[in-house]
């Protein structure tokens, strides 16, 4: 299912609304990022981001989708994109649909416990 179908927007809203310092910083980044998208959309295409075509949205997103390679003028947008991508993944993959997609089985009784092999324990210094 889509991210919106499993409640990702509501999760992000809840996250940035929480009364903690980190969440308050994320709220500033999300609000600033949404504003940045509209300013950049208006600069490039004389329309708000919501009114852009898919191709126009893609042009902007391509410039901000990978923070380490974003040009200096796109750093603010890239930090926003990075945060929203991380929050979206967290929200999606903590739903039943996301866990099913990952093949996560959760807390279930194991019929048998097979500890890590001795070589792994030795490598980790746990032997």
């Amino acid at each position: 299912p889509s991210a919106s179908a499993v409640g990702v927007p509501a999760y992000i809203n809840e996250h940035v609304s929480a009364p903690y310092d980190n969440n308050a910083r994320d709220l500033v980044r999300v609000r600033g990022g949404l504003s940045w998208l509209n300013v950049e959309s208006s600069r490039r295409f004389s329309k708000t981001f919501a009114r852009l075509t898919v191709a126009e949205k893609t042009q902007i997103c391509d410039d901000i989708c990978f923070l380490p390679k974003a040009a200096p003028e796109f750093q603010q947008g890239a930090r926003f994109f990075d945060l929203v991508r991380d929050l979206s993944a967290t929200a999606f993959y903590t739903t039943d649909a996301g866990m099913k997609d990952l093949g996560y089985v959760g807390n279930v009784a194991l019929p048998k416990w097979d500890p890590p092999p001795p070589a792994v324990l030795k490598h980790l210094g746990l032997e």
Side-chain angles (χ1 to χ4, degrees):
S2 69
S4 58
V6 296
V8 169
Y11 172 87
I12 292 172
N13 185 55
E14 183 70 22
H15 174 85
V16 299
S17 299
Y20 306 106
D21 290 342
N22 287 342
N23 301 73
R25 283 190 291 273
D26 289 347
L27 175 60
V28 170
R29 182 163 296 159
V30 168
R31 284 183 176 166
L34 293 171
S35 294
W36 183 91
L37 279 176
N38 280 324
V39 167
E40 186 64 18
S41 299
S42 293
R43 185 186 70 75
R44 290 191 199 190
F45 306 108
S46 300
K47 302 183 265 190
T48 62
F49 189 78
R51 297 194 183 280
L52 298 181
T53 66
V54 171
E56 291 167 337
K57 288 177 182 178
T58 300
Q59 285 180 41
I60 293 173
C61 290
D62 283 348
D63 288 334
I64 64 173
C65 69
F66 189 55
L67 181 57
K69 292 194 176 187
E73 65 270 23
F74 299 128
Q75 288 291 308
Q76 180 184 357
R79 283 190 297 277
F80 159 73
F81 193 97
D82 195 52
L83 173 63
V84 171
R85 180 184 44 236
D86 288 350
L87 290 173
S88 297
T90 299
F92 182 83
Y93 287 109
T94 55
T95 66
D96 289 339
M99 287 186 227
K100 183 178 177 185
D101 185 55
L102 291 172
Y104 178 73
V105 295
N107 285 338
V108 295
L110 299 174
K112 177 182 168 197
W113 165 248
D114 291 319
V120 171
L121 293 174
K122 183 177 180 179
H123 177 75
L124 295 173
L126 299 172
E127 185 179 45

